[in-house]
Amino acid sequence: MRRMGWLLALVVVGWALSASADCGCAQGLGPSCYVTFRSNELISFSTVFPIDYFTVHSTTETPFLLGWSVETVDGALVRSTAFDVVVGWGQDFVWDLTDGAGRDVGPGFYRILVSTTAGVVSADVRLVSYCTPCVTCWSCCLCSTCPNGGAGRCPTACGEPYLVLDIDSTKSCCGLSFQFHWGWTTP
C-alpha cells in the first residue's frame, strides 16, 4: 500500500510539472494564423501564383523570385538569401532552421518572406521544441496545439499569391542518428 502511495505521488508531481511547463503553448503571443513545425523539421516552401492572380491583377506576366528571408514576428532579421539572377516561381526552397551565422534558431514564431517582382509573399510559422524532455505535446499542452506536420497554409484573399509550406526532412536532435537498411534478393 505504501508503494502505491509513493507511485501515485510521483505521478501527480510529474503531471503537475509537465502541466506547468511552458512548451511554447502560451496563447496570444503570436500571429492569429500560422503553420506549426517541430524544431527538428526542415521547412520546405514554394510560392504559388494562382490562376485568379492574373485576372485580379490584370496581368499576363508571371512574377519572378528575387530572394527569401526569415524574420521574427517583431521584424528582426534571422536569415536572408538574395538570388544572383531572378528565379521562376516554381522553385522549392528549404529553410534549415538556422540563422545567418549557421546557428540553430530556437522555438518561437517566425515569418518566411519571399521577395518577388510583384511584391513580398509571406507565411507565419511556429517552431515548437522537439529536442527537449518536453517531446510529447500532450503532456504539456492540449493536442490542438500539437505540430500538424506542416503541409499547410493560412487562407489568402482571392487572387493573392501565397506560400505552401511542408516538411523537407528532419535533423537529429543530439547529433547521433541510426539508420537501418534492409535488402532482399532472390537467386
Side-chain angles (χ1 to χ4, degrees), residues 68-85:
W68 61 273
S69 60
V70 177
E71 62 183 31
T72 60
V73 290
D74 59 354
L77 186 64
V78 174
R79 183 170 177 179
S80 180
T81 301
F83 304 134
D84 293 331
V85 295

Side-chain angles (χ1 to χ4, degrees), residues 3 14 30 34-35 81-84 109 115 119 121 130 132-133 138 147-148 171 175-176 182:
R3 286 184 187 173
Y34 52 86
V35 180
T81 301
F83 304 134
D84 293 331
F109 290 97
S115 299
V121 182
Y130 185 73
T132 63
W138 56 266
N148 62 4
K171 58 184 175 180
L176 177 67
W182 183 70

Side-chain angles (χ1 to χ4, degrees), residues 9-146:
L10 249 166
V11 168
V12 168
V13 168
W15 179 79
L17 286 174
S18 69
S20 66
D22 177 21
C23 303
C25 301
Q27 297 297 320
L29 298 178
S32 61
C33 185
Y34 52 86
V35 180
T36 305
F37 293 90
R38 291 180 176 93
S39 61
N40 71 328
E41 296 173 330
L42 307 184
I43 301 173
S44 166
F45 56 97
S46 60
T47 310
V48 175
F49 290 91
I51 294 292
D52 52 347
Y53 169 83
F54 300 97
T55 56
V56 168
H57 294 279
S58 299
T59 186
T60 57
E61 294 181 17
T62 303
F64 289 102
L65 308 181
L66 306 172
W68 61 273
S69 60
V70 177
E71 62 183 31
T72 60
V73 290
D74 59 354
L77 186 64
V78 174
R79 183 170 177 179
S80 180
T81 301
F83 304 134
D84 293 331
V85 295
V86 294
V87 177
W89 61 269
Q91 298 285 329
D92 285 348
F93 303 101
V94 176
W95 177 37
D96 61 359
L97 307 182
T98 60
D99 62 12
R103 295 181 302 263
D104 288 339
V105 298
F109 290 97
Y110 296 91
R111 182 169 293 126
I112 299 174
L113 302 110
V114 176
S115 299
T116 73
T117 54
V120 175
V121 182
S122 67
D124 292 319
V125 297
R126 176 179 168 224
L127 298 180
V128 293
S129 181
Y130 185 73
C131 302
T132 63
C134 188
V135 173
T136 55
C137 58
W138 56 266
S139 69
C140 301
C141 318
L142 298 174
C143 280
S144 63
T145 62
C146 295

